[in-house]
Amino acid sequence: MISEKDANLAREQHSEQLQELGVHAIAVDEISYKGEKTFAVIAFVEKPLDNIPKFITVQKGEQTLDVPLKFKIATKFKPE
């Protein structure tokens, strides 16, 4: 199980890389993965992208964690 803290660390470490892929917003949320509750990084995009991985890797001390990466279709926020 990935903790919220671990998912936030992954979000921080990979935010620039995700933005280069076309992600316009990044969040962390609890999901169900293989029947278990865990945390994931949520990438918001305007249209489906083929180049978004299913996991992002984060180093936590000597441990390597694969944090689930999910995407959601959402219109980019436009200030009025």
Side-chain angles (χ1 to χ4, degrees), residues 22-74:
V23 172
H24 63 80
I26 307 166
V28 167
D29 203 359
E30 189 174 42
I31 65 164
S32 179
Y33 180 74
K34 293 187 177 180
E36 293 185 24
K37 294 208 181 229
T38 190
F39 282 88
V41 174
I42 312 298
F44 293 88
V45 296
E46 290 190 278
K47 60 182 179 179
L49 302 174
D50 295 331
N51 57 348
I52 294 182
K54 294 186 188 294
F55 294 92
I56 51 178
T57 304
V58 64
Q59 274 305 125
K60 183 180 172 185
E62 294 182 16
Q63 188 178 19
T64 300
L65 301 172
D66 287 328
V67 178
L69 177 62
K70 302 292 182 183
F71 74 88
K72 290 188 177 183
I73 306 296

